Structure formats: structure tokens, C-alpha cells
Amino acid sequence: MSYLLNEKLIGLVPYEPISGNYSIRLDANESFLTLPISVMRAVSEAILHVDYNRYPDPAAVDLCQDFSRFYGLSPDLVTAGNGSDELIFLIMSAFLMKGDNILILSPDFSMYNFYSSLVESTSLVLLKGDAFSIDIDNIIQQAKEEKVKMIIFSNPCNPTSQGVPREEVERLIGSVDALVVVDEAYMDFWDQSLLPNVTNHDNLIILRTLSKAFGMAAIRLGFAVSAPPLQKVLMAAKSPYNVNAVTQAIGRVVLSHGEEMRAAIGKIVQSRDWLYALCKAVESEFPDQITVYPPCTNFVTIRTKQAGYIYDALLKEGIVVRGFSSFLRVTCGKEEENETFIKALTMILKGM
Ligand SMILES: *Cc1c(COP(=O)(O)O)cnc(C)c1O
């Protein structure tokens, strides 16, 4: 007897973030802030009252209501997920059949391709332009020609930090028969969200997460927002107890402290702006070596032909960023972390 793995599993390896002891971690787009002490106290209190012997509310009704209130939405548009990662997988497995075409951009969030291959759909990958630009007309044309069933992209984009204005995204949604999934994981740092317009479209799902702007990556909580017919499908297709009761309780506390959360987001944006200004100064010193684009997220993307070399040199200094073949992605951190990074980057560029 011998058991053979199917083709899609052969060569698959577990996702492994970098391990080891580095003094500065600017690689995962996490928040550098911990929860304000007042919110932390409310969290501690809330988890005392969780009914640990009971299954959680499958619809996470109270949690979805708090999320809706924070963003000024109607609660019947919202589905909660075990991180938006779970929702990406759920959406692909529910809305795609084997062999269906899905349109993905590159560079973009790597999980889109990963889940797409797990559900055996066919990924059509459109490459972005030199300045990470997105050609909406080209996407519309490809979607029509290839009978694409789903288009998914992050806006603003991880890893480029570039955004597509709301009107352009809506033009795309209105021009295709495909389901359009707009991953707004970083939209709390920008102002072009489609949330207010979500019910104008019957082929739109917006994804949000508490992992980035809210600094709650540990609890795994994301949301899908769509018109009610799609919301009902998501509710029916998800696994029943996907968001555990502890996460529901903590998520409720965090979303009910709007003022504190907005203040925290303001601090992250300040750090991001400062990191960008510092990077621009380095760019003006080394214009042939790096190019920096104005960011719409909590990270700065630096285009450079020496990405691999700079990445390794930063690691030797105890600084972790995210390395790609032709650029680096640097999450904004505490003031001293940003400055240490910039000093190291300058030193590395000088030595090249
Ligand atoms: C981080 C990230 C996510 C994952 O968010 P979780 O809610 O933590 O699963 C989804 N999309 C993009 C573009 C991200 O950068």
C-alpha cells in the first residue's frame, strides 16, 4: 500500500516568518504600539466573563454590530472571520469552481496565489508598472476576454504601499461580471475606502482586519463587508464557530474604544510619514540606488536593484525588513527604530 499526495500538495511548505533574535522587527506590518492601558484593563475584564464551556456565537452578532458602529455601517453587511486570511480562503473556496479563472496582480499579497492554487482555480497574473502602477482598463479588458470569475487585490497594496482611488476601483467593479474582492487591510491609513458605497454593488466584497491599524494581529480577527445577498452566502459557507469567544470578546472591547483606536492610528501615520521623509532624504543622497514612493499604508516601499544585498546587510545589524527581488518593504516603527534603520541603510549605501 502506498498513499500518494495529490498534485496541489506536492512541494507545499508551511508558512514560516523569519525566526531568530533581531533587535528591530520592521518586516511584518504589525503595529509598534501596544494597547492603551485603559483598553487593556477592559480586555482583562471582558475575558473574565466569557462562557468558556459554551461554543461561541456562530454569527458573532454583537461583534459585527460593534464593527458596524465603528465604521458607520449596517450590521447585516458584515461577516467576521478568523483573520482576513480565513476570509480570503473562504471566499475563494465558496465562489470559485475548479478551473475558474481568477485575476491577481503582481506584486500583491502572496496569499491570493496560495489559496487560489489550493482551490484549484487558474490564476491570471497581471504585472504592475514600474512605479507599481495599476492599469484599470487593462484589468477590465483581461477580465472580459478571459471570462474571469474573481478579481482580488489589496488597496492600498501590500507590498507596494500604493493605492487606487475609490472612483477607479468603482469603475472596475461596475465594468466586469466578476466578483471583485478588495482587501482593505491598510485602508485605516488612507481615505479611499469603499465601505460607504458597498451596497451600490452586487459583486463586491471588502475585507478589513484588526491585525494592522488596530495592532491586534494576535487575536486573529478580520471582517468581510458586502451587500446582504453575498453576506448571506458567506455566513452559510463559513465554518460555524470560526471566530472563538475570546477573540469575539476582545474584538468588541477594542472596537468600542473608537477614540483610543483612532488616536493610535494617528500615531502610526505620524511614524509612517517620518519614516518616509527620512527615506526621501536618503534617496536624495543616493538617487541612483533607491527610489521611494509616497506611502498609503503603515510601511514604506523602497525600490532598489540591490534589495538582496541591503536586506542581508540590515540583518547583520539586527534589523529585519521584508525583502523582495527588486524592492524592500519597511514597516514603520518606534522613533528610535526608524532612525536606527535609516542610519544602517545610509551606512550600507555608502559602503556599496
Ligand atoms: C496582513 C494582511 C492580511 C491578513 O490579515 P489577517 O486579518 O491578520 O489575516 C490580509 N491582507 C493583506 C493585504 C495583508 O497585508
Side-chain angles (χ1 to χ4, degrees):
M1 301 288 274
S2 79
Y3 177 73
L4 291 178
L5 289 178
N6 68 37
E7 263 171 58
K8 68 184 176 188
L9 294 176
I10 293 172
L12 214 58
V13 290
Y15 183 80
E16 269 188 56
I18 184 165
S19 60
N21 264 330
Y22 299 97
S23 49
I24 298 185
R25 294 290 304 259
L26 305 175
D27 60 315
N29 296 343
E30 295 150 337
S31 171
F32 60 90
L33 298 169
T34 50
L35 276 185
I37 194 74
S38 56
V39 183
M40 197 63 103
R41 288 221 172 84
V43 164
S44 310
E45 184 62 26
I47 61 178
L48 290 176
H49 300 288
V50 170
D51 289 326
Y52 288 97
N53 56 324
R54 303 293 177 194
Y55 281 101
D57 173 9
V61 171
D62 294 335
L63 172 66
C64 289
Q65 230 152 35
D66 291 337
F67 174 85
S68 307
R69 196 172 306 119
F70 185 91
Y71 287 106
L73 299 166
S74 159
D76 61 344
L77 312 177
V78 180
T79 310
N82 186 6
S84 50
D85 245 311
E86 184 207 15
L87 294 168
I88 296 168
F89 191 30
L90 168 67
I91 290 166
M92 289 195 185
S93 29
F95 291 89
L96 291 174
M97 305 276 277
K98 179 176 176 174
D100 279 353
N101 284 344
I102 172 171
L103 200 155
I104 293 172
L105 306 177
S106 177
D108 204 343
F109 191 45
S110 59
M111 289 297 132
Y112 305 149
N113 234 327
F114 172 75
Y115 290 129
S116 147
S117 69
L118 265 192
V119 304
E120 297 179 76
S121 58
T122 304
S123 296
L124 309 177
V125 181
L126 285 189
L127 299 182
K128 295 183 184 178
D130 266 349
F132 301 125
S133 56
I134 291 177
D135 181 346
I136 294 289
D137 290 311
N138 188 29
I139 298 177
I140 294 171
Q141 190 191 338
Q142 292 294 321
K144 286 184 177 158
E145 280 175 12
E146 304 289 340
K147 301 201 172 10
V148 160
K149 292 281 160 51
M150 184 182 296
I151 302 169
I152 185 166
F153 59 97
S154 54
N155 192 39
C157 169
N158 172 16
T160 71
S161 206
Q162 301 304 292
V164 182
R166 178 168 33 215
E167 302 78 64
E168 280 291 277
V169 181
E170 290 208 275
R171 186 164 71 81
L172 164 65
I173 299 164
S175 309
V176 295
D177 296 324
L179 178 67
V180 182
V181 182
V182 182
D183 184 347
E184 295 192 76
Y186 300 89
M187 195 54 93
D188 298 290
F189 304 115
W190 203 35
D191 62 359
Q192 295 293 307
S193 178
L194 284 180
L195 285 178
N197 306 3
V198 66
T199 51
N200 297 346
H201 305 280
D202 64 4
N203 60 334
L204 168 65
I205 299 178
I206 301 167
L207 296 176
R208 304 291 294 226
T209 176
L210 293 206
S211 298
K212 307 288 161 53
F214 288 79
M216 298 300 291
I219 67 168
R220 312 302 303 125
L221 183 55
F223 295 90
V225 184
S226 61
L230 291 181
Q231 189 266 1
K232 289 195 179 76
V233 173
L234 289 173
M235 281 299 206
K238 77 181 184 67
S239 59
Y241 303 116
N242 59 328
V243 182
N244 74 72
V246 179
T247 290
Q248 290 194 30
I250 298 174
R252 292 200 62 195
V253 171
V254 170
L255 288 163
S256 306
H257 285 76
E259 209 174 304
E260 289 89 337
M261 289 303 120
R262 286 188 191 93
I265 292 167
K267 282 186 199 162
I268 298 170
V269 168
Q270 255 179 2
S271 160
R272 188 274 316 272
D273 287 344
W274 182 228
L275 176 63
Y276 174 62
L278 293 171
C279 287
K280 273 313 241 195
V282 178
E283 180 192 45
S284 67
E285 210 179 323
F286 303 96
D288 299 335
Q289 271 138 296
I290 68 167
T291 311
V292 194
Y293 305 95
C296 301
T297 62
N298 64 336
F299 56 88
V300 176
T301 301
I302 304 175
R303 209 191 249 301
T304 168
K305 292 203 173 72
Q306 290 89 20
Y309 177 84
I310 298 173
Y311 175 86
D312 290 337
L314 285 167
L315 262 196
K316 289 200 190 100
E317 301 293 317
I319 303 168
V320 193
V321 299
R322 185 72 195 274
F324 295 83
S325 59
S326 61
F327 57 93
L328 299 167
R329 191 193 71 191
V330 186
T331 312
C332 70
K334 295 178 194 144
E335 204 171 305
E336 62 273 21
E337 293 177 324
N338 294 342
E339 277 161 16
T340 306
F341 160 74
I342 289 292
K343 276 197 197 119
L345 176 66
T346 309
M347 190 189 70
I348 293 162
L349 290 171
K350 274 198 178 124
M352 279 171 52

mmCIF file of all heavy atoms in Angstrom, residues 28-29 82-86 88 108-109 112 154 156-158 183 185-186 207-212 217 220-222 299 329, ligand 1:
data_model
loop_
_atom_site.group_PDB
_atom_site.id
_atom_site.type_symbol
_atom_site.label_atom_id
_atom_site.label_comp_id
_atom_site.label_asym_id
_atom_site.label_seq_id
_atom_site.Cartn_x
_atom_site.Cartn_y
_atom_site.Cartn_z
ATOM 1 N N ALA A 28 6.802 42.823 9.271
ATOM 2 C CA ALA A 28 5.502 42.145 9.186
ATOM 3 C C ALA A 28 4.304 43.093 9.178
ATOM 4 O O ALA A 28 3.161 42.647 9.303
ATOM 5 C CB ALA A 28 5.364 41.124 10.309
ATOM 6 N N ASN A 29 4.570 44.378 9.040
ATOM 7 C CA ASN A 29 3.491 45.380 9.004
ATOM 8 C C ASN A 29 2.624 45.392 10.261
ATOM 9 O O ASN A 29 1.475 45.815 10.236
ATOM 10 C CB ASN A 29 2.612 45.212 7.762
ATOM 11 C CG ASN A 29 3.380 45.459 6.491
ATOM 12 O OD1 ASN A 29 4.455 46.053 6.536
ATOM 13 N ND2 ASN A 29 2.868 45.017 5.367
ATOM 14 N N ASN A 82 -11.745 34.454 11.148
ATOM 15 C CA ASN A 82 -10.560 34.174 11.948
ATOM 16 C C ASN A 82 -9.338 34.782 11.239
ATOM 17 O O ASN A 82 -8.524 34.095 10.638
ATOM 18 C CB ASN A 82 -10.439 32.658 12.100
ATOM 19 C CG ASN A 82 -9.320 32.240 13.025
ATOM 20 O OD1 ASN A 82 -8.676 33.071 13.658
ATOM 21 N ND2 ASN A 82 -9.069 30.962 13.100
ATOM 22 N N GLY A 83 -9.274 36.102 11.291
ATOM 23 C CA GLY A 83 -8.321 36.846 10.475
ATOM 24 C C GLY A 83 -8.895 37.002 9.081
ATOM 25 O O GLY A 83 -9.746 36.203 8.659
ATOM 26 N N SER A 84 -8.471 38.039 8.356
ATOM 27 C CA SER A 84 -8.998 38.152 6.991
ATOM 28 C C SER A 84 -8.417 37.055 6.109
ATOM 29 O O SER A 84 -8.980 36.695 5.082
ATOM 30 C CB SER A 84 -8.762 39.543 6.395
ATOM 31 O OG SER A 84 -7.442 39.943 6.549
ATOM 32 N N ASP A 85 -7.308 36.466 6.538
ATOM 33 C CA ASP A 85 -6.755 35.312 5.840
ATOM 34 C C ASP A 85 -7.798 34.198 5.682
ATOM 35 O O ASP A 85 -7.945 33.619 4.607
ATOM 36 C CB ASP A 85 -5.580 34.749 6.643
ATOM 37 C CG ASP A 85 -4.287 34.888 5.880
ATOM 38 O OD1 ASP A 85 -4.263 34.508 4.700
ATOM 39 O OD2 ASP A 85 -3.312 35.389 6.459
ATOM 40 N N GLU A 86 -8.498 33.890 6.772
ATOM 41 C CA GLU A 86 -9.532 32.856 6.677
ATOM 42 C C GLU A 86 -10.596 33.263 5.658
ATOM 43 O O GLU A 86 -11.103 32.431 4.889
ATOM 44 C CB GLU A 86 -10.210 32.608 8.033
ATOM 45 C CG GLU A 86 -11.210 31.452 7.949
ATOM 46 C CD GLU A 86 -12.362 31.490 8.947
ATOM 47 O OE1 GLU A 86 -12.609 32.546 9.563
ATOM 48 O OE2 GLU A 86 -13.044 30.464 9.087
ATOM 49 N N ILE A 88 -10.281 35.168 3.029
ATOM 50 C CA ILE A 88 -9.785 35.038 1.649
ATOM 51 C C ILE A 88 -9.974 33.594 1.179
ATOM 52 O O ILE A 88 -10.483 33.335 0.081
ATOM 53 C CB ILE A 88 -8.291 35.445 1.561
ATOM 54 C CG1 ILE A 88 -8.114 36.924 1.918
ATOM 55 C CG2 ILE A 88 -7.737 35.169 0.159
ATOM 56 C CD1 ILE A 88 -6.660 37.339 2.150
ATOM 57 N N ASP A 108 1.542 41.722 -5.248
ATOM 58 C CA ASP A 108 0.415 41.922 -4.340
ATOM 59 C C ASP A 108 0.559 40.899 -3.217
ATOM 60 O O ASP A 108 1.567 40.182 -3.159
ATOM 61 C CB ASP A 108 -0.918 41.770 -5.104
ATOM 62 C CG ASP A 108 -2.075 42.516 -4.429
ATOM 63 O OD1 ASP A 108 -1.947 42.865 -3.240
ATOM 64 O OD2 ASP A 108 -3.096 42.743 -5.081
ATOM 65 N N PHE A 109 -0.428 40.818 -2.336
ATOM 66 C CA PHE A 109 -0.383 39.929 -1.176
ATOM 67 C C PHE A 109 -0.233 38.473 -1.643
ATOM 68 O O PHE A 109 -1.046 37.991 -2.437
ATOM 69 C CB PHE A 109 -1.676 40.118 -0.379
ATOM 70 C CG PHE A 109 -1.694 39.468 0.977
ATOM 71 C CD1 PHE A 109 -0.607 39.569 1.843
ATOM 72 C CD2 PHE A 109 -2.821 38.780 1.404
ATOM 73 C CE1 PHE A 109 -0.644 38.994 3.102
ATOM 74 C CE2 PHE A 109 -2.860 38.198 2.668
ATOM 75 C CZ PHE A 109 -1.781 38.299 3.516
ATOM 76 N N TYR A 112 -3.004 35.402 -1.986
ATOM 77 C CA TYR A 112 -4.038 35.248 -3.015
ATOM 78 C C TYR A 112 -3.697 34.066 -3.928
ATOM 79 O O TYR A 112 -4.537 33.228 -4.225
ATOM 80 C CB TYR A 112 -4.189 36.523 -3.855
ATOM 81 C CG TYR A 112 -4.456 37.775 -3.049
ATOM 82 C CD1 TYR A 112 -3.995 39.024 -3.493
ATOM 83 C CD2 TYR A 112 -5.164 37.731 -1.861
ATOM 84 C CE1 TYR A 112 -4.234 40.175 -2.756
ATOM 85 C CE2 TYR A 112 -5.397 38.881 -1.122
ATOM 86 C CZ TYR A 112 -4.925 40.105 -1.576
ATOM 87 O OH TYR A 112 -5.153 41.239 -0.857
ATOM 88 N N SER A 154 -5.221 44.009 -3.075
ATOM 89 C CA SER A 154 -5.228 44.811 -1.856
ATOM 90 C C SER A 154 -5.165 46.281 -2.231
ATOM 91 O O SER A 154 -4.455 46.681 -3.146
ATOM 92 C CB SER A 154 -4.060 44.426 -0.945
ATOM 93 O OG SER A 154 -2.823 44.494 -1.615
ATOM 94 N N PRO A 156 -5.147 50.071 0.000
ATOM 95 C CA PRO A 156 -3.824 50.173 -0.617
ATOM 96 C C PRO A 156 -3.083 48.840 -0.563
ATOM 97 O O PRO A 156 -3.415 47.986 0.228
ATOM 98 C CB PRO A 156 -3.126 51.252 0.196
ATOM 99 C CG PRO A 156 -3.953 51.516 1.395
ATOM 100 C CD PRO A 156 -5.283 50.917 1.203
ATOM 101 N N CYS A 157 -2.069 48.763 -1.431
ATOM 102 C CA CYS A 157 -1.442 47.458 -1.686
ATOM 103 C C CYS A 157 -0.329 47.108 -0.711
ATOM 104 O O CYS A 157 0.538 47.908 -0.420
ATOM 105 C CB CYS A 157 -0.889 47.454 -3.111
ATOM 106 S SG CYS A 157 0.185 46.046 -3.458
ATOM 107 N N ASN A 158 -0.367 45.874 -0.235
ATOM 108 C CA ASN A 158 0.780 45.231 0.379
ATOM 109 C C ASN A 158 1.381 44.317 -0.695
ATOM 110 O O ASN A 158 0.669 43.437 -1.163
ATOM 111 C CB ASN A 158 0.341 44.406 1.599
ATOM 112 C CG ASN A 158 1.452 43.562 2.164
ATOM 113 O OD1 ASN A 158 2.613 43.771 1.863
ATOM 114 N ND2 ASN A 158 1.085 42.585 2.989
ATOM 115 N N ASP A 183 -9.270 44.024 -0.802
ATOM 116 C CA ASP A 183 -8.691 43.771 0.517
ATOM 117 C C ASP A 183 -8.186 45.100 1.080
ATOM 118 O O ASP A 183 -7.131 45.591 0.702
ATOM 119 C CB ASP A 183 -7.560 42.751 0.354
ATOM 120 C CG ASP A 183 -6.937 42.347 1.679
ATOM 121 O OD1 ASP A 183 -7.200 43.012 2.704
ATOM 122 O OD2 ASP A 183 -6.174 41.362 1.678
ATOM 123 N N ALA A 185 -6.977 45.875 3.983
ATOM 124 C CA ALA A 185 -6.258 45.619 5.240
ATOM 125 C C ALA A 185 -5.576 46.885 5.783
ATOM 126 O O ALA A 185 -5.399 47.028 6.992
ATOM 127 C CB ALA A 185 -5.224 44.514 5.038
ATOM 128 N N TYR A 186 -5.203 47.794 4.877
ATOM 129 C CA TYR A 186 -4.469 49.005 5.286
ATOM 130 C C TYR A 186 -5.281 50.282 5.096
ATOM 131 O O TYR A 186 -4.730 51.377 5.154
ATOM 132 C CB TYR A 186 -3.148 49.105 4.503
ATOM 133 C CG TYR A 186 -2.273 47.914 4.749
ATOM 134 C CD1 TYR A 186 -2.366 46.775 3.953
ATOM 135 C CD2 TYR A 186 -1.391 47.896 5.819
ATOM 136 C CE1 TYR A 186 -1.602 45.657 4.202
ATOM 137 C CE2 TYR A 186 -0.614 46.783 6.083
ATOM 138 C CZ TYR A 186 -0.730 45.675 5.273
ATOM 139 O OH TYR A 186 0.025 44.564 5.533
ATOM 140 N N LEU A 207 -12.629 43.451 2.365
ATOM 141 C CA LEU A 207 -12.041 42.797 3.531
ATOM 142 C C LEU A 207 -11.361 43.818 4.431
ATOM 143 O O LEU A 207 -10.692 44.740 3.949
ATOM 144 C CB LEU A 207 -11.006 41.751 3.095
ATOM 145 C CG LEU A 207 -11.552 40.582 2.285
ATOM 146 C CD1 LEU A 207 -10.403 39.683 1.834
ATOM 147 C CD2 LEU A 207 -12.559 39.789 3.113
ATOM 148 N N ARG A 208 -11.558 43.667 5.716
ATOM 149 C CA ARG A 208 -10.872 44.515 6.697
ATOM 150 C C ARG A 208 -10.256 43.597 7.752
ATOM 151 O O ARG A 208 -10.635 42.435 7.878
ATOM 152 C CB ARG A 208 -11.880 45.469 7.380
ATOM 153 C CG ARG A 208 -12.667 46.341 6.437
ATOM 154 C CD ARG A 208 -11.827 47.387 5.745
ATOM 155 N NE ARG A 208 -11.297 48.379 6.631
ATOM 156 C CZ ARG A 208 -11.335 49.711 6.389
ATOM 157 N NH1 ARG A 208 -11.905 50.188 5.283
ATOM 158 N NH2 ARG A 208 -10.793 50.560 7.217
ATOM 159 N N THR A 209 -9.332 44.126 8.534
ATOM 160 C CA THR A 209 -8.690 43.319 9.574
ATOM 161 C C THR A 209 -8.348 44.199 10.771
ATOM 162 O O THR A 209 -8.140 45.400 10.619
ATOM 163 C CB THR A 209 -7.411 42.648 9.046
ATOM 164 O OG1 THR A 209 -6.782 41.948 10.113
ATOM 165 C CG2 THR A 209 -6.430 43.657 8.471
ATOM 166 N N LEU A 210 -8.297 43.576 11.951
ATOM 167 C CA LEU A 210 -7.810 44.299 13.135
ATOM 168 C C LEU A 210 -6.303 44.097 13.322
ATOM 169 O O LEU A 210 -5.726 44.568 14.289
ATOM 170 C CB LEU A 210 -8.549 43.837 14.402
ATOM 171 C CG LEU A 210 -10.039 44.132 14.560
ATOM 172 C CD1 LEU A 210 -10.398 44.194 16.059
ATOM 173 C CD2 LEU A 210 -10.486 45.425 13.896
ATOM 174 N N SER A 211 -5.670 43.381 12.384
ATOM 175 C CA SER A 211 -4.261 43.000 12.584
ATOM 176 C C SER A 211 -3.274 44.133 12.365
ATOM 177 O O SER A 211 -2.152 44.086 12.863
ATOM 178 C CB SER A 211 -3.880 41.866 11.631
ATOM 179 O OG SER A 211 -4.636 40.723 11.889
ATOM 180 N N LYS A 212 -3.635 45.139 11.592
ATOM 181 C CA LYS A 212 -2.649 46.142 11.226
ATOM 182 C C LYS A 212 -2.891 47.438 11.994
ATOM 183 O O LYS A 212 -2.216 47.700 12.966
ATOM 184 C CB LYS A 212 -2.686 46.371 9.706
ATOM 185 C CG LYS A 212 -2.557 45.067 8.896
ATOM 186 C CD LYS A 212 -1.162 44.473 8.950
ATOM 187 C CE LYS A 212 -1.031 43.001 8.577
ATOM 188 N NZ LYS A 212 -1.584 42.562 7.324
ATOM 189 N N ALA A 217 -2.976 41.828 15.788
ATOM 190 C CA ALA A 217 -2.653 40.647 14.977
ATOM 191 C C ALA A 217 -2.786 39.351 15.778
ATOM 192 O O ALA A 217 -3.138 38.300 15.227
ATOM 193 C CB ALA A 217 -1.237 40.777 14.401
ATOM 194 N N ARG A 220 -6.363 37.364 15.768
ATOM 195 C CA ARG A 220 -6.884 36.825 14.507
ATOM 196 C C ARG A 220 -8.333 37.241 14.310
ATOM 197 O O ARG A 220 -9.260 36.473 14.584
ATOM 198 C CB ARG A 220 -6.756 35.283 14.448
ATOM 199 C CG ARG A 220 -5.418 34.704 14.838
ATOM 200 C CD ARG A 220 -4.290 35.240 13.983
ATOM 201 N NE ARG A 220 -4.505 35.016 12.573
ATOM 202 C CZ ARG A 220 -4.492 35.996 11.657
ATOM 203 N NH1 ARG A 220 -4.229 37.245 11.998
ATOM 204 N NH2 ARG A 220 -4.707 35.718 10.410
ATOM 205 N N LEU A 221 -8.536 38.440 13.834
ATOM 206 C CA LEU A 221 -9.899 38.899 13.595
ATOM 207 C C LEU A 221 -9.962 39.779 12.346
ATOM 208 O O LEU A 221 -9.274 40.787 12.251
ATOM 209 C CB LEU A 221 -10.422 39.677 14.820
ATOM 210 C CG LEU A 221 -11.868 40.165 14.755
ATOM 211 C CD1 LEU A 221 -12.844 39.021 14.477
ATOM 212 C CD2 LEU A 221 -12.257 40.877 16.055
ATOM 213 N N GLY A 222 -10.780 39.333 11.410
ATOM 214 C CA GLY A 222 -10.990 40.092 10.181
ATOM 215 C C GLY A 222 -12.471 40.132 9.853
ATOM 216 O O GLY A 222 -13.275 39.414 10.454
ATOM 217 N N PHE A 299 3.713 51.222 5.972
ATOM 218 C CA PHE A 299 5.072 50.839 5.596
ATOM 219 C C PHE A 299 5.510 51.642 4.376
ATOM 220 O O PHE A 299 4.699 52.234 3.679
ATOM 221 C CB PHE A 299 5.168 49.335 5.323
ATOM 222 C CG PHE A 299 4.207 48.830 4.269
ATOM 223 C CD1 PHE A 299 4.558 48.832 2.925
ATOM 224 C CD2 PHE A 299 2.943 48.366 4.630
ATOM 225 C CE1 PHE A 299 3.676 48.370 1.958
ATOM 226 C CE2 PHE A 299 2.057 47.906 3.673
ATOM 227 C CZ PHE A 299 2.413 47.908 2.337
ATOM 228 N N ARG A 329 10.415 46.228 1.749
ATOM 229 C CA ARG A 329 9.220 46.761 2.410
ATOM 230 C C ARG A 329 9.552 46.976 3.884
ATOM 231 O O ARG A 329 9.925 46.030 4.580
ATOM 232 C CB ARG A 329 8.069 45.763 2.265
ATOM 233 C CG ARG A 329 6.711 46.282 2.675
ATOM 234 C CD ARG A 329 5.710 45.151 2.792
ATOM 235 N NE ARG A 329 6.005 44.332 3.956
ATOM 236 C CZ ARG A 329 5.430 43.143 4.205
ATOM 237 N NH1 ARG A 329 4.551 42.634 3.371
ATOM 238 N NH2 ARG A 329 5.744 42.469 5.297
HETATM 239 C C1 LIG B 1 -1.802 41.344 6.774
HETATM 240 C C2 LIG B 1 -2.694 41.218 5.625
HETATM 241 C C3 LIG B 1 -3.825 40.400 5.663
HETATM 242 C C4 LIG B 1 -4.026 39.393 6.760
HETATM 243 O O1 LIG B 1 -4.728 39.891 7.781
HETATM 244 P P1 LIG B 1 -5.213 38.934 8.943
HETATM 245 O O2 LIG B 1 -6.517 39.528 9.309
HETATM 246 O O3 LIG B 1 -4.177 39.046 10.006
HETATM 247 O O4 LIG B 1 -5.343 37.539 8.437
HETATM 248 C C5 LIG B 1 -4.696 40.383 4.599
HETATM 249 N N1 LIG B 1 -4.457 41.120 3.501
HETATM 250 C C6 LIG B 1 -3.365 41.898 3.411
HETATM 251 C C7 LIG B 1 -3.139 42.675 2.165
HETATM 252 C C8 LIG B 1 -2.445 41.960 4.450
HETATM 253 O O5 LIG B 1 -1.335 42.681 4.328
#
